[in-house]
Amino acid sequence: MKHLLKLADLTSEEIFGILNLADQLKYEREHNIEHPHLKGKKLGMIFQKSSTRTRVSFEVGMTELGGSALFLSDRDLQIGRGEPIKDTIRVLSRYLDGIMIRTFAQKDVEELAEYGSIPIINGLTDYCHPCQVLADLMTIREYKGGFKGLKLCFIGDGNNMANSLIVGGIKMGMEVAIACPDNYRPDAEICKWASENGKLTVTSDIMAAAQGADAVYTDVWASMGQESEKAEREKVFRGYCVDNKVMAVAKPDAIVLHCLPAHRGEEITEEVFESHAKEIFDEAENRLHAQKAVLVKLLKH
Ligand code: CP
Ligand code: NVA
């Protein structure tokens, strides 16, 4: 494993390896056992979109591993003034040991990997969010003890989260059910791959998707970069909401997950959110542990 560009690039064994190391790092942190695996290493973090969790968990993660992180906003970098990404990465490769980038186009992340000579980590694109799903898988395993025989349901936009959940869920052997409006389905190639490699259902019927689910996941109706579509999306997605009726058809012990930030009263009700807050905030915490595991796998030589 040289980069983390998308989960599809990883084998199931590599994902299990990350999850196992993440569990170990979480245990060590809880028991005040230091783990300076990345002493002296430097991570650049390029942000072309907002972030709370990704930014703070990567920065704290690098500090806890004995290294350091630089926050690089595109408002300050020359990228914002048009310097090509392939030039930027050839320069940054001379200074840094790794790059985490949050941006719009997946091809920009792939270009960094092509032209740079250091590991590249995808911190979210319009296409996928692999770091989030590693934390989600870690959380599902914590609560359910494994993945075998589980049904993972996602309700909402067939966006970056849905794409990565399908890949991660299928690679871990779960059944995946997506409920989304017809014109907002997940990536067609990902769906094709998933149907050939496991059990995937894509439907506009929320109740059918949630039926018997072990984990119910949702995300915002309008993602970053889709602000101008907000009003239209509010109409289309009305009803794509994780509420008590949805939870009543899921398994009685089903967990609820949300990548956050959440819009209560849109994709999830206040009541469902707060009654599953423990899982949702464990999931947010697990971003730290899962990403530290990724950093160790990629940056430690
Ligand atoms: N879930 C997630 O990636 O959160 P941020 O946008 O706050 O980083
Ligand atoms: N789909 C959301 C996820 C945020 C973590 C977005 O891209 O804005």
Side-chain angles (χ1 to χ4, degrees):
M1 175 180 164
K2 273 170 66 187
H3 305 284
L4 176 58
L5 309 180
K6 54 186 189 303
L7 287 183
D9 298 336
L10 305 189
T11 62
S12 302
E13 290 68 33
E14 283 173 322
I15 296 177
F16 273 116
I18 292 167
L19 300 183
N20 293 344
L21 179 56
D23 286 349
Q24 184 190 329
L25 294 170
K26 181 169 183 172
Y27 174 88
E28 289 175 358
R29 187 176 190 263
E30 283 169 357
H31 292 81
N32 296 317
I33 302 166
E34 292 193 3
H35 38 230
H37 298 290
L38 300 183
K39 197 165 181 305
K41 300 276 185 188
K42 294 163 285 287
L43 178 77
M45 308 189 299
I46 302 175
F47 281 93
Q48 300 189 292
K49 291 176 175 172
S50 304
S51 171
T52 296
R53 281 143 287 270
T54 306
R55 179 189 172 171
V56 177
S57 56
F58 265 104
E59 189 161 340
V60 169
M62 278 305 287
T63 305
E64 291 182 359
L65 290 167
S68 57
L70 288 83
F71 174 69
L72 306 167
S73 157
D74 72 336
R75 281 188 296 276
D76 308 320
L77 290 172
Q78 296 286 12
I79 290 180
R81 295 179 57 247
E83 182 169 19
I85 209 155
K86 62 184 182 185
D87 293 355
T88 304
I89 189 58
R90 281 179 285 186
V91 174
L92 295 182
S93 291
R94 308 281 181 118
Y95 305 144
L96 300 167
D97 300 292
I99 288 280
M100 191 283 302
I101 179 164
R102 166 167 288 196
T103 189
F104 296 86
Q106 180 70 15
K107 75 166 176 35
D108 286 350
V109 180
E110 309 273 344
E111 198 171 316
L112 287 181
E114 185 184 342
Y115 285 90
S117 54
I118 53 177
I120 305 299
I121 300 170
N122 181 344
L124 180 146
T125 59
D126 294 344
Y127 176 69
C128 65
H129 197 359
C131 292
Q132 177 67 52
V133 169
L134 289 171
D136 301 338
L137 295 173
M138 181 179 174
T139 311
I140 291 170
R141 194 166 72 160
E142 276 178 356
Y143 276 86
K144 299 293 169 192
F147 301 108
K148 221 171 157 26
L150 297 187
K151 179 176 178 182
L152 169 62
C153 160
F154 175 89
I155 294 176
D157 188 16
N159 61 9
N160 43 13
M161 282 313 315
N163 286 338
S164 286
L165 284 167
I166 293 171
V167 177
I170 295 290
K171 280 193 185 254
M172 295 295 94
M174 287 187 281
E175 173 186 347
V176 181
I178 308 285
C180 59
D182 282 340
N183 293 331
Y184 295 83
R185 293 164 80 91
D187 180 82
E189 285 202 359
I190 288 180
C191 290
K192 182 170 177 285
W193 170 87
S195 303
E196 289 165 2
N197 288 276
K199 186 160 183 219
L200 171 72
T201 322
V202 181
T203 171
S204 56
D205 182 342
I206 301 172
M207 291 301 173
Q211 186 70 46
D214 297 279
V216 178
Y217 203 114
T218 190
D219 182 19
V220 292
W221 292 342
S223 287
M224 290 181 278
Q226 298 171 336
E227 288 77 10
S228 65
E229 298 172 28
K230 197 170 182 301
E232 170 68 12
R233 283 172 171 269
E234 276 173 13
K235 277 191 243 152
V236 175
F237 283 92
R238 182 100 13 240
Y240 284 83
C241 176
V242 178
D243 58 14
N244 284 334
K245 291 200 287 294
V246 168
M247 294 313 297
V249 300
K251 290 241 179 79
D253 62 349
I255 59 169
V256 172
L257 297 174
H258 194 308
C259 53
L260 302 176
H263 290 72
R264 293 162 167 84
E266 294 187 9
E267 76 275 4
I268 191 165
T269 60
E270 168 81 11
E271 207 179 349
V272 170
F273 186 97
E274 289 302 338
S275 56
H276 291 272
K278 170 83 169 68
E279 295 122 57
I280 294 168
F281 291 106
D282 280 346
E283 175 191 14
E285 179 190 324
N286 286 340
R287 292 292 304 276
L288 173 65
H289 311 301
Q291 287 159 198
K292 281 168 73 178
V294 169
L295 289 164
V296 171
K297 295 269 181 200
L298 291 177
L299 270 58
K300 188 177 176 180
H301 308 295

